[in-house]
Each structure stands twice: as C-alpha cells, then as structure tokens.
Amino acid sequence: RDPQSPAAGVVLNGSDHQTVLQLTNLVEGRYVFHLKVTDAKGLFDTDSATVIVKKDIHEADLVELALAADITAFTEGNKGMLVRQLAVLIDVMDSDIHVQEIKQDLSTGNMVVVFVVMNSQTHLVQDGATVLARLRRKLKAGSEVLDFKVVQVDTVVCQNNCSGHGVCNSFTKLCQCDSFWVQNPFKAHFGEKVNNCDWSILYVIVIAFGIVVGAGLITWGIVCLVRNRRRFRRSKRHRYTLLDEIDDKGEKNRDVQQRSKTKQQFGNVRVR
C-alpha cells in the first residue's frame, strides 16, 4: 500500500502477499497498491494499481436499527422474519428492504441492522429521513410488532439540524449546541424525543426569573390573605364582646328602673 493511501481498510487472510488482494472496510479515498515480483535469479519488476472508493450516494438514506439481540444467535431465518416485519411497518414489499450490514456494537453489545428501502422495480431509494419518521411512528404505536426489543432507530448519517443552533455528532447522534443554546428537555424526553438546541440560555434565565418572581408573589399574597383573615376574626370577636357588655348594662338599667317604679308605687299606696 502506498504511504499516501488511506490507512483504513483491513487485509483479509494475509492476501497482501498473494496473487489476489482482498480488502474490507475501505473508506472514501484513493488507494494505490504496489506489486513487486522477483524471480529466482533476483530479477524483479513492479507495477501499481489504483482503487478509488467513492462515497455511497445513498449513505444519507441508510437506516440503522439497534436490537437487544445476541448476534451469534441471530439466524438467517430471524433475518427473513425481521425483513418481513420491517416491510409491514414501513408499508412496502419485502423485496424493497435491502439489508446492507449486520454488526455488533462493541460498546453496548447490541446488534445493529443497517438497511435501505429501495423499490425493487424502479430502483428508486426512499428518503432515509422519511423512512425513519414512519418507522418511529409505527414503533411508538406498537413496538411489540418486532420479535426483538428495539433499543434505538436512526439514520446512519445524522440528519438532525439541531434546531439550527448546533451540530450533530455523527457517532453519538447527539446535538452539540452552540454557545448560549441548550436542549429543550420536554421535546427531548417527553414529546417528539428528538435531540435539539431549541432554548437560548437568555430565555431560560428570563423564564426562571419569572417563575421565581411569580412564586414569590403568590406566597406573599397567601401570607397577606391569612393575616387579613386573622385580623377580621379578631375585630369581629371584639364587636361581639362590646355588644354583650352593652346588653348586660341595659338589662341592669332596666332592673334598676323597674325596682324604682315598684318602690314608688308601694310608697304611694302606704301614704294613702
């Protein structure tokens, strides 16, 4: 391999010392391989071969499905059943589901199935984002359709624009927000469950300040209401006390007047 060629790419079965070179996991770029042949007399000759690996034009349409399954126990029959179930969910023919790769995620141990939806007659490839949205909607409505637990479903190439305020990490599929922008947790965890950079830090500060002020005003209003009710009860009790005292005094005055009249009448009778 030429020193200027990409380092990515695995040589299979030591074929770099054989007549046929076998390679896998190549990346986009220009590979140059040199061949040197030497005979028994020490004479040699060299030649070069160039391999140009182009970017997959349908890379953005590839969808990867992460399943909680043991890749060593996943049979060809399981693969056929999975293809039929995906075709039902996406509403296409079984022949339209083209599995590109089945691999294991070494970081999680999950099995990852990479596929593309292409019409078997017209050879037109469906948009990956459209397929992803349809599949997510169906899985949300009834994930029991698949025989394996779905851990994650996404496009191979991250197509999330992160609300226009960040970039999407192609490996983690998470948004790396720009300065002064943060994720909307409601949209990320409860609503559409899409990673985003919707909220400006300024908005968060203003909303948080408004919540604190609103909570303070409500608390102050409740305290004032409780104090006013207590004052009203005290003043009401005091009035009742005054009225009771006035009634008692009036009764006493009427008793005194009644006794005075009785005495006068009795005195008049005796005089006569």
Side-chain angles (χ1 to χ4, degrees):
R1 188 183 306 195
D2 190 88
Q4 301 300 320
S5 298
V10 179
V11 178
L12 300 177
N13 303 321
S15 58
D16 53 340
H17 293 87
Q18 299 177 10
T19 55
V20 178
L21 177 63
Q22 300 177 1
L23 293 167
T24 186
N25 295 335
L26 299 180
V27 297
E28 181 183 2
R30 183 173 180 268
Y31 291 81
V32 178
F33 300 95
H34 301 290
L35 174 65
K36 182 179 180 180
V37 179
T38 305
D39 62 10
K41 296 181 180 181
L43 298 177
F44 66 89
D45 195 6
T46 61
D47 197 1
S48 300
T50 301
V51 178
I52 298 177
V53 179
K54 296 183 179 180
K55 183 179 181 180
D56 187 357
I57 60 175
H58 300 304
E59 184 180 15
D61 301 317
L62 293 174
V63 179
E64 59 180 9
L65 185 68
L67 302 174
D70 183 5
I71 192 171
T72 60
F74 190 77
T75 64
E76 188 67 21
N78 296 137
K79 175 184 173 183
M81 180 60 69
L82 178 63
V83 167
R84 285 191 290 273
Q85 291 174 335
L86 287 173
V88 171
L89 290 174
I90 304 174
D91 194 19
V92 295
M93 301 293 294
D94 294 356
S95 57
D96 294 343
I97 304 295
H98 297 268
V99 177
Q100 302 290 315
E101 184 181 9
I102 298 177
K103 58 184 179 180
Q104 184 180 22
D105 188 346
L106 298 179
S107 61
T108 61
N110 296 322
M111 185 182 71
V112 179
V113 179
V114 180
F115 67 94
V116 66
V117 180
M118 180 175 63
N119 190 290
S120 56
Q121 297 179 351
T122 62
H123 301 288
L124 294 177
V125 176
Q126 290 195 22
D127 179 64
T130 303
V131 173
L132 176 63
R134 190 180 306 167
L135 190 57
R136 279 180 172 173
R137 185 170 58 253
K138 292 294 183 64
L139 290 175
K140 187 176 181 180
S143 57
E144 71 277 358
V145 176
L146 295 178
D147 292 338
F148 302 93
K149 180 182 178 182
V150 178
V151 179
Q152 185 181 6
V153 57
D154 209 334
T155 52
V156 173
V157 178
C158 186
Q159 301 185 31
N160 190 344
N161 65 352
C162 299
S163 310
H165 304 296
V167 293
C168 183
N169 188 304
S170 58
F171 179 72
T172 63
K173 304 295 193 302
L174 299 177
C175 287
Q176 298 175 344
C177 299
D178 297 336
S179 301
F180 307 109
W181 289 91
V182 294
Q183 180 174 253
N184 176 359
F186 300 101
K187 183 177 180 180
H189 302 291
F190 302 104
E192 302 174 6
K193 294 186 177 181
V194 176
N195 213 250
N196 62 87
C197 297
D198 280 355
W199 284 3
S200 169
I201 293 180
L202 178 62
Y203 298 158
V204 175
I205 293 175
V206 171
I207 293 173
F209 178 76
I211 292 174
V212 172
V213 172
L217 291 175
I218 292 173
T219 304
W220 180 76
I222 293 174
V223 171
C224 291
L225 180 62
V226 171
R227 288 181 178 178
N228 290 334
R229 291 189 64 181
R230 288 179 178 177
R231 289 178 182 176
F232 178 75
R233 288 178 180 177
R234 289 177 182 176
S235 61
K236 196 171 183 181
R237 289 177 182 176
H238 185 65
R239 289 180 181 178
Y240 287 158
T241 302
L242 291 176
L243 289 174
D244 291 341
E245 291 178 355
I246 293 172
D247 291 341
D248 292 341
K249 290 180 180 180
E251 289 291 336
K252 290 180 180 179
N253 292 333
R254 283 195 291 270
D255 291 342
V256 172
Q257 291 177 0
Q258 187 68 28
R259 290 176 183 176
S260 299
K261 290 181 179 180
T262 304
K263 286 181 179 180
Q264 288 179 358
Q265 291 177 358
F266 182 73
N268 293 334
V269 171
R270 289 182 60 182
V271 171
R272 291 177 182 177

